[in-house]
Amino acid sequence: MAKSVLKGSARVQAQLNGIGRELQGGWMKRLLSRVLRRAQALPHLNAGFLEGASPEKDGTPVAMAAYYNEFGTENIPARPFMRRTIAKNQDQWPKLLAASLKAAKGDLEKALDMTAERIVTQIQAEIESLQDPPLAKSTIDNRLRVSRRNGSIRRVNMQTAVKPLIDTGHMLNSVAHEVVSD
């Protein structure tokens, strides 16, 4: 008699465990859904080449020129300045945001703006410091030839002429940020 009661209680316990898991899973799903809805309503920052930035002189959107430089094309070697910026700095960003929150006295939008300004500076520093892969000799010669032809309109010295990501400085100066509240 005791054996059958134990067998029956084991089945009941298994059913109760299954119901408990279902209830817990539903509870967890509802909680996670609520947390995600609230997180989506929080402001966030975007840093890089934003929509609406003025295009290059030839009409190419600056974000597209940055993409070509980042990943390369058939004729341009990859110069991954964004990926290097992220790799070098991403571990600092949570601390930077925490310090910005403290400085902004808890104002999240102001703290995000302060953090984004620093990230823009980091992207620009990577653009300015990137040297590898070097420019082709033909590109350097072309830059010097154009600068001589334009005279005082655009002065280029040899140091600037050999910088891979800096020709006119337009891409460098187009790095921007925004704080977005959805």
Side-chain angles (χ1 to χ4, degrees):
M1 181 95 165
K3 263 187 171 179
S4 64
V5 170
L6 287 176
K7 281 183 181 176
S9 68
R11 272 183 272 164
V12 170
Q13 187 63 43
Q15 283 181 325
L16 288 174
N17 285 343
I19 292 170
R21 272 190 231 112
E22 286 176 24
L23 289 174
Q24 185 180 11
W27 173 82
M28 189 64 79
K29 283 180 185 175
R30 286 190 308 275
L31 176 64
L32 184 57
S33 176
R34 199 173 334 137
V35 167
L36 288 174
R37 276 194 310 272
R38 286 184 182 164
Q40 289 171 344
L42 290 174
H44 62 276
L45 68 87
N46 294 323
F49 302 94
L50 305 177
E51 188 175 337
S54 62
E56 298 284 339
K57 286 181 182 178
D58 65 358
T60 304
V62 72
M64 187 178 289
Y67 178 86
Y68 292 156
N69 280 295
E70 179 74 20
F71 295 102
T73 66
E74 198 173 289
N75 300 318
I76 302 169
R79 295 185 171 95
F81 63 95
M82 289 294 282
R83 288 176 285 175
R84 288 181 185 175
T85 300
I86 293 167
K88 287 180 182 177
N89 300 294
Q90 69 180 347
D91 293 342
Q92 301 169 17
W93 293 341
K95 295 174 194 159
L96 179 60
L97 179 58
S100 297
L101 268 170
K102 188 175 180 180
K105 296 179 175 38
D107 183 337
L108 181 58
E109 287 194 29
K110 188 174 180 181
L112 286 170
D113 189 61
M114 293 166 61
T115 302
E117 286 176 8
R118 180 70 183 121
I119 293 171
V120 165
T121 302
Q122 292 169 341
I123 295 168
Q124 289 173 326
E126 191 62 36
I127 289 171
E128 290 175 327
S129 68
L130 192 130
Q131 295 294 323
D132 191 46
L135 291 174
K137 183 179 178 342
S138 59
T139 302
I140 295 168
D141 291 345
N142 187 47
R143 284 185 178 182
L144 291 171
R145 189 172 36 258
V146 168
S147 70
R148 283 189 207 105
R149 188 176 20 177
N150 291 342
S152 63
I153 295 172
R154 184 168 152 243
R155 296 189 189 279
V156 176
N157 60 30
M158 193 59 180
Q159 190 176 26
T160 305
V162 298
K163 286 219 169 246
L165 295 175
I166 301 173
D167 181 13
T168 64
H170 183 69
M171 188 176 80
L172 176 70
N173 295 325
S174 295
V175 180
H177 73 280
E178 64 185 359
V179 175
V180 180
S181 297
D182 290 332

